[in-house]
Amino acid sequence: MSVDTVEKGVILIVDDTPTNLGMLFDFLAHSGFQVLVAEDGESAIESADYASPDLILLDVLMPGIDGFETCRRLKANQVTQDIPVIFMTALSETVDKVKGLNLGAVDYITKPLQHEEVLARVSIHLRLRCLTKKLIDQNIRLEQEICERKQAEAEREQAFIALQESEARFRCLVESNIIGIIFADFRGNITEANDAFLQMVGYEREELPTGGLRWHEITPPEYRHLDEDALAQFLSSGNCTPYEKEFISKDGRRVPVMIGAALMEPSQPNVVGFVLDITERKQADRKIQEQAALLDITTDAILVRDLNNQILFWNKGAERLYGWKTEEVFGKNANQLLYKEISPQLQKNQNILAQENEWQGELHQVTKDGKNIIVASRWTLVRDEEEQPKFILTVNTDITERKQLEAQFLRAQRMESIGTLASGIAHDLNNALAPVLMSVQILEHKLQDEQSRRILKTLETNTQRSADLVKQVLSFVRGVEGKRTTLQVRHIIKEIEQIVKQTFSRAIEIRTDIPMLDLWTISGDATQLHQVLMNLCVNARDAMPNGGTLELGARNLWVDEHYVRMNLDAKVGPYVVITVSDTGMGISREIIDRIFEPFFTTKEIGQGTGLGLSTVMGIVKSHGGFVQVLSEVGQGTQFYIYLPVTQATIPDETKSLPHELPRGQGELILVVDDEYSIRELTKISLETYNYKVLTATDGVEALVLYAEHKQDINAVLVDMMMPAMDGITTIRALQKINPQVKIIAVSGLTSNYQITEIAGNNVKTFLPKPYTSEELLKNIQVVLGKN
């Protein structure tokens, strides 16, 4: 038998004798079969399950499981049960052959194997398997065809019944539908129409057979191109996309409509059209557009929420106030979007709204970029026709600036009232003390005994102290006038340093940070400035009862517009800034706005008058300067004394300084600060000088941005005092992402020494708050290695 006549297939040979296995493999492979081999029953079962051969040659006698057991398992497996199995054996017992055939084998080949016999039996059974497969496939196809024909007949019968029902429904629909229905040909003749369409355009049914109603003639010229596009769609696809147009009614009115149409039958050029009168919708749309335009013009934020606080409407005023676009907020929860945390007050407001249908009051909210704002909010509960709550209309007005101005006004008013009161008290005390002091001086000449003199001396001393106290009050109220000369603050600081080192506890470390050269001079009263620094140093000492560090410093500062926007008391120009900082207990935010008020003190009774800082403020203001204080409980305090520079001593080059600041080359800087104003002003300054900027409101957002733009960010500006994740933690996390990250630390409290000690060498420079554009840009240059 020729091998070429055999349909080739995959044969699995199972024999534990390698010699037999190899010879049979070579012979069958040479004969053109694809051959797989297995040396035991387990391997054979696994191979057959995986490869699904067309035929298996199986040795009967094998270790482990023999051929009979292997065959039994193959036939028990649904995947391999149809594979023909031919036993190969040297056994000639009829019982064994019968056993194998009963297990499902199709044939036996007796060893020693004859190649021609093997090839003949293999070919026969492969051919039989192929024929069996074909018969099975044909049977399956025949069964499918029979089922399909039966199903088609049933569907045909159902379709006929459905068609009859559909025709009846269609007739009813056409005759009674409020939507206009027309039948027309491609030439534009309307051959049939229902009453709804005829009423829409004002024509009579009698005019249809005469051709008096044509599609194109009742369409205004500006809409005819839409009809032409629809006709082109009909010719290509058999239907058209619904579109809006207008019809001209018989009396000349224009009727806005929505048109949809389809071919009645592909073989006939007739269409059925559906015409919806959208006059009322157009009028409503115009009204809505006019109302929406009015809502968008207003500066108030107007939003509509459903009863689950999901946003349904968001006007342009809301976009401007909060920074979120309409598409960004639609369907979002308003409480999660506009509040950092949900307070019980919101639920209370909801309860009032449910009871009274309206609520109004002030709310503290947050914008998209994290800015805290205050709004005057008005809520109205809108109900449906059945008086059921439907949605909440909210109108919010931004009153943040107004509240800030009110706070400033109240603070100024309070200070003015205190000043007026103090001035009156000081005036009366001076009037009362003057005769006492004069009487003491007269009595000193009349009373000669020692005891009287001691009493008079005590009386004089305390009266004089009272007079000095009155002078301090007046210095706060009226300012201080004294003899002004050109001064170098370096000398004043050195003198104060010597005094405090000699008088303060040795547990307090005294440091100074003063440039040896180029410190500008000021015009001032040395005695009064001594008093300012001594008052601040004494306060710092009292804030460190267990010791700490007191640092005195001075530096030149050109206050630019950037700095002025961060500090309302400043003016553009040159200043010398004196710094007095301590590592003491700090000042809480609740009282920091009151520390300059006269007689306000946190010290125990008898340990302070409360006039020290008010005197400092009065002296500095009388010198044309201003004071800034930064403090955090447990983190120490820094006082900045800004004194204007004597104009004659300003080097000429400093006057052009703001115009000669170093520019960037498109480097990307990440600015991390929780204060919106500082973050935005820093961004503006950097972008002005050719830097690219990313901003983050806290450490977590900074880490996300840095991980996303790690390859592009050249340096990171990190504020050290932030809620949730502070600057030190942020820096350490950035170092884990990139050990080579370049960082500029920014703080109004922590010193450069402390930060570099904690954060390591990645902190390339330290920028104290507040800072000018010059300081910012120079520090950036240092970090980028350009200086």
Side-chain angles (χ1 to χ4, degrees):
M1 182 181 293
S2 173
V3 179
D4 295 335
T5 63
V6 181
E7 187 172 342
K8 300 299 185 296
V10 180
I11 299 174
L12 173 61
I13 305 171
V14 187
D15 198 318
D16 63 321
T17 305
T19 304
N20 294 340
L21 198 63
M23 291 176 62
L24 193 54
F25 178 88
D26 293 339
F27 165 66
L28 291 175
H30 181 71
S31 298
F33 294 99
Q34 183 177 347
V35 183
L36 305 174
V37 296
E39 295 183 352
D40 54 51
E42 295 288 354
S43 300
I45 293 170
E46 184 177 348
S47 297
D49 192 29
Y50 175 75
S52 189
D54 296 300
L55 187 139
I56 300 173
L57 293 176
L58 179 60
D59 188 21
V60 173
L61 298 177
M62 293 184 297
I65 63 172
D66 60 9
F68 293 138
E69 178 61 19
T70 302
C71 181
R72 188 189 66 77
R73 293 191 187 182
L74 288 170
K75 295 304 177 179
N77 188 343
Q78 188 175 0
V79 176
T80 58
Q81 64 182 1
D82 293 330
I83 301 174
V85 177
I86 299 175
F87 279 120
M88 300 181 298
T89 181
L91 301 174
S92 58
E93 296 293 334
T94 302
V95 175
D96 293 330
K97 291 183 179 181
V98 171
K99 180 180 179 181
L101 293 173
N102 287 337
L103 289 172
V106 297
D107 206 347
Y108 267 87
I109 301 176
T110 306
K111 293 183 180 180
L113 302 176
Q114 299 297 322
H115 289 174
E116 288 298 325
E117 180 186 2
V118 171
L119 186 58
R121 292 179 183 275
V122 166
S123 299
I124 289 171
H125 288 292
L126 284 176
R127 191 174 291 111
L128 287 173
R129 176 170 172 77
C130 182
L131 290 173
T132 301
K133 284 184 176 180
K134 289 181 179 178
L135 287 173
I136 292 172
D137 291 342
Q138 287 178 355
N139 286 335
I140 292 173
R141 284 198 297 273
L142 286 173
E143 290 176 358
Q144 288 177 342
E145 288 179 5
I146 291 170
C147 290
E148 289 172 357
R149 287 181 181 180
K150 289 181 178 179
Q151 184 177 357
E153 290 178 359
E155 289 176 352
R156 193 179 300 114
E157 184 176 353
Q158 291 177 354
F160 179 74
I161 296 172
L163 179 61
Q164 290 179 323
E165 295 175 350
S166 176
E167 288 178 351
R169 286 196 302 269
F170 181 72
R171 284 193 299 270
C172 181
L173 179 67
V174 170
E175 292 170 1
S176 63
N177 207 311
I178 60 173
I179 297 176
I181 301 175
I182 60 174
F183 300 91
D185 58 29
F186 283 174
R187 294 189 301 273
N189 297 313
I190 298 177
T191 58
E192 186 59 70
N194 69 346
D195 291 341
F197 177 78
L198 293 173
Q199 292 173 4
M200 198 181 301
V201 294
Y203 286 87
E204 301 294 334
R205 187 172 299 279
E206 291 74 18
E207 299 178 71
L208 295 177
T210 63
L213 193 56
R214 295 177 58 83
W215 182 276
H216 303 300
E217 291 177 357
I218 61 174
T219 299
E222 63 268 27
Y223 292 103
R224 288 175 185 168
H225 71 283
L226 298 177
D227 292 340
E228 294 171 359
D229 292 342
L231 180 60
Q233 284 187 330
F234 275 126
L235 296 176
S236 62
S237 62
N239 55 30
C240 73
T241 304
Y243 60 97
E244 292 185 12
K245 58 175 284 186
E246 289 182 345
F247 278 137
I248 301 175
S249 67
K250 191 173 183 179
D251 60 5
R253 291 181 300 105
R254 287 202 172 199
V255 183
V257 296
M258 172 73 76
I259 297 286
L263 283 176
M264 292 182 62
E265 296 181 15
S267 60
Q268 298 181 2
N270 295 319
V271 298
V272 56
F274 302 93
V275 185
L276 176 65
D277 187 346
I278 58 173
T279 303
E280 292 183 0
R281 199 201 77 185
K282 285 288 187 181
Q283 293 172 348
D285 286 347
R286 278 195 296 271
K287 187 174 182 180
I288 290 172
Q289 290 173 359
E290 292 170 358
Q291 293 173 344
L294 291 174
L295 292 178
D296 286 337
I297 291 173
T298 180
T299 57
D300 289 337
I302 301 176
L303 54 146
V304 176
R305 300 170 285 153
D306 64 18
L307 300 181
N308 294 319
N309 279 318
Q310 308 298 314
I311 295 174
L312 306 177
F313 176 77
W314 186 266
N315 77 331
K316 294 292 183 183
E319 290 185 358
R320 290 188 291 268
L321 176 58
Y322 297 107
W324 298 95
K325 297 295 183 184
T326 301
E327 57 271 17
E328 294 178 296
V329 303
F330 188 81
K332 298 288 183 62
N333 188 290
N335 287 351
Q336 296 175 358
L337 199 71
L338 302 179
Y339 302 93
K340 286 186 176 179
E341 57 182 23
I342 308 303
S343 66
Q345 182 64 36
L346 284 177
Q347 185 58 49
K348 184 178 179 182
N349 298 345
Q350 292 280 128
N351 296 337
I352 295 174
L353 180 69
Q355 294 173 4
E356 302 182 6
N357 291 330
E358 62 181 9
W359 174 87
Q360 63 180 359
E362 294 181 3
L363 296 173
H364 292 260
Q365 297 180 332
V366 63
T367 64
K368 181 180 180 180
D369 55 15
K371 178 184 176 182
N372 293 315
I373 61 173
I374 305 173
V375 298
S377 188
R378 284 87 69 198
W379 297 1
T380 302
L381 184 62
V382 180
R383 298 179 180 271
D384 59 18
E385 295 82 358
E386 298 178 357
E387 291 300 313
Q388 295 300 315
K390 188 175 182 181
F391 52 79
I392 302 168
L393 173 64
T394 303
V395 181
N396 290 340
T397 304
D398 185 8
I399 59 171
T400 308
E401 186 174 347
R402 192 188 81 191
K403 297 296 288 186
Q404 292 172 345
L405 292 174
E406 284 179 1
Q408 292 179 11
F409 174 75
L410 291 173
R411 187 161 53 248
Q413 195 176 51
R414 186 173 72 249
M415 294 293 286
E416 182 179 355
S417 299
I418 293 172
T420 303
L421 175 63
S423 178
I425 294 173
H427 180 268
D428 291 342
L429 283 174
N430 270 336
N431 289 339
L433 292 172
V436 173
L437 193 58
M438 288 187 292
S439 298
V440 168
Q441 292 170 351
I442 293 172
L443 289 173
E444 283 181 345
H445 295 288
K446 293 186 176 183
L447 300 175
Q448 300 299 322
D449 62 284
E450 189 63 28
Q451 184 179 7
S452 298
R453 284 182 172 275
R454 284 199 303 271
I455 293 173
L456 290 175
K457 186 63 176 177
T458 302
L459 183 60
E460 182 181 13
T461 301
N462 284 278
T463 304
Q464 189 63 53
R465 285 180 59 189
S466 299
D468 292 339
L469 191 61
V470 172
K471 288 180 181 179
Q472 282 187 289
V473 173
L474 290 176
S475 69
F476 160 73
V477 175
R478 302 172 182 171
V480 182
E481 296 182 1
K483 184 179 181 182
R484 303 294 170 85
T485 59
T486 300
L487 299 175
Q488 176 54 259
V489 298
R490 180 189 303 111
H491 304 312
I492 298 175
I493 293 175
K494 286 295 183 183
E495 294 169 0
I496 297 297
E497 179 188 14
Q498 291 179 1
I499 295 171
V500 297
K501 279 185 176 180
Q502 293 172 1
T503 58
F504 285 10
S505 168
R506 294 192 177 185
I508 297 177
E509 180 183 0
I510 311 299
R511 297 180 184 172
T512 58
D513 181 15
I514 311 169
M516 296 303 296
L517 300 173
D518 301 327
L519 192 62
W520 298 333
T521 58
I522 64 169
S523 176
D525 185 298
T527 302
Q528 293 173 0
L529 294 179
H530 270 95
Q531 184 180 0
V532 167
L533 294 182
M534 279 306 303
N535 283 348
L536 295 177
C537 288
V538 169
N539 282 350
R541 179 201 65 189
D542 294 342
M544 300 183 289
N546 299 319
T549 301
L550 170 62
E551 184 169 345
L552 302 172
R555 60 189 174 100
N556 297 332
L557 178 69
W558 184 283
V559 171
D560 56 12
E561 293 182 358
H562 172 87
Y563 194 97
V564 169
R565 291 175 67 182
M566 294 169 65
N567 299 272
L568 299 179
D569 292 329
K571 297 179 181 179
V572 175
Y575 286 80
V576 170
V577 184
I578 303 174
T579 306
V580 180
S581 63
D582 64 69
T583 58
M585 60 187 68
I587 305 170
S588 68
R589 295 184 179 182
E590 290 77 13
I591 65 171
I592 198 166
D593 288 337
R594 300 189 59 198
I595 60 175
F596 293 105
E597 294 179 5
F599 305 113
F600 177 81
T601 179
T602 59
K603 298 177 181 178
E604 295 180 6
I605 297 175
Q607 294 186 3
T609 62
L611 290 171
L613 289 180
S614 63
T615 303
V616 168
M617 178 67 76
I619 292 174
V620 173
K621 282 190 173 182
S622 71
H623 282 70
F626 60 96
V627 182
Q628 188 177 55
V629 58
L630 296 174
S631 186
E632 192 79 18
V633 174
Q635 300 292 326
T637 304
Q638 286 187 340
F639 282 89
Y640 296 92
I641 309 300
Y642 295 79
L643 299 172
V645 172
T646 306
Q647 293 297 319
T649 65
I650 306 173
D652 291 338
E653 60 267 19
T654 64
K655 296 179 181 179
S656 60
L657 185 60
H659 306 288
E660 299 176 357
L661 298 178
R663 299 181 64 84
Q665 296 178 346
E667 294 93 340
L668 181 60
I669 310 298
L670 174 59
V671 177
V672 189
D673 201 304
D674 62 312
E675 289 289 339
Y676 171 78
S677 59
I678 295 177
R679 190 170 62 250
E680 289 303 306
L681 289 173
T682 302
K683 181 175 184 289
I684 292 170
S685 294
L686 289 174
E687 289 178 342
T688 302
Y689 288 90
N690 200 33
Y691 288 97
K692 298 176 182 177
V693 182
L694 292 172
T695 60
T697 59
D698 54 36
V700 175
E701 185 180 356
L703 295 178
V704 173
L705 286 174
Y706 190 81
E708 184 179 352
H709 303 279
K710 173 183 174 182
Q711 303 301 325
D712 302 321
I713 293 176
N714 299 97
V716 185
L717 203 71
V718 182
D719 181 29
M720 303 310 295
M721 302 298 295
M722 294 186 294
M725 180 183 288
D726 62 14
I728 295 295
T729 306
T730 302
I731 291 171
R732 287 172 176 165
L734 289 171
Q735 289 170 340
K736 290 182 179 180
I737 299 175
N738 178 15
Q740 306 303 319
V741 61
K742 297 178 179 178
I743 294 172
I744 301 173
V746 180
S747 178
L749 294 176
T750 313
S751 70
N752 186 13
Y753 169 78
Q754 290 171 312
I755 291 172
T756 54
E757 183 180 70
I758 296 171
N761 295 328
N762 291 81
V763 179
K764 301 299 181 182
T765 182
F766 172 73
L767 186 60
K769 284 184 181 180
Y771 47 81
T772 64
S773 295
E774 176 193 5
E775 292 172 321
L776 172 64
L777 295 169
K778 284 186 176 180
N779 276 273
I780 292 288
Q781 294 281 312
V782 170
V783 167
L784 297 179
K786 296 184 178 182
N787 282 343

